[in-house]
Amino acid sequence: MYKTEFRYRGETLMLIAQPEGKGWKVILPDGSAHTVLHATADANNLTLHTPTGRIQVAFARTAQGVEIQYQGHVYRFQRAEPTRRGATQH
């Protein structure tokens, strides 16, 4: 399973992806689940193949995080700061 946190408009959001069949089950921050059968990426584009079709988004890595362009909108995501916890216990 892959789990990551990021910040968008001051809110911390979590994205989860876990293997499912021949693809991945992706759970978005709103709790909705989607199936991705195959994904490819090059330097500036991410293509997701789903049971209902293909989704292509442009993205750019920045010093702050990632910018994603989708359907005429730009979404800017920042890396979430790791949660600070007490002393490490073994």
Side-chain angles (χ1 to χ4, degrees):
M1 176 172 30
Y2 172 78
K3 186 187 303 188
T4 189
E5 290 183 343
F6 53 91
R7 296 194 55 78
Y8 179 69
R9 294 186 175 179
E11 186 178 351
T12 299
L13 305 172
M14 183 177 296
L15 175 73
I16 300 170
Q18 56 194 30
E20 182 177 82
K22 293 182 179 181
W24 290 82
K25 177 181 179 181
V26 178
I27 302 170
L28 299 179
D30 67 1
S32 63
H34 304 273
T35 299
V36 175
L37 302 172
H38 179 71
T40 56
D42 60 28
N44 299 313
N45 293 292
L46 172 65
T47 303
L48 305 172
H49 300 270
T50 71
T52 58
R54 184 174 67 136
I55 300 168
Q56 187 166 7
V57 296
F59 72 92
R61 289 187 175 103
T62 68
Q64 294 77 32
V66 175
E67 289 185 3
I68 296 175
Q69 297 178 27
Y70 180 66
Q71 294 185 340
H73 299 281
V74 176
Y75 301 91
R76 291 177 179 88
F77 298 94
Q78 297 174 323
R79 294 180 189 96
E81 295 296 321
T83 304
R84 294 193 177 242
R85 299 179 193 240
T88 304
Q89 296 179 1
H90 297 278

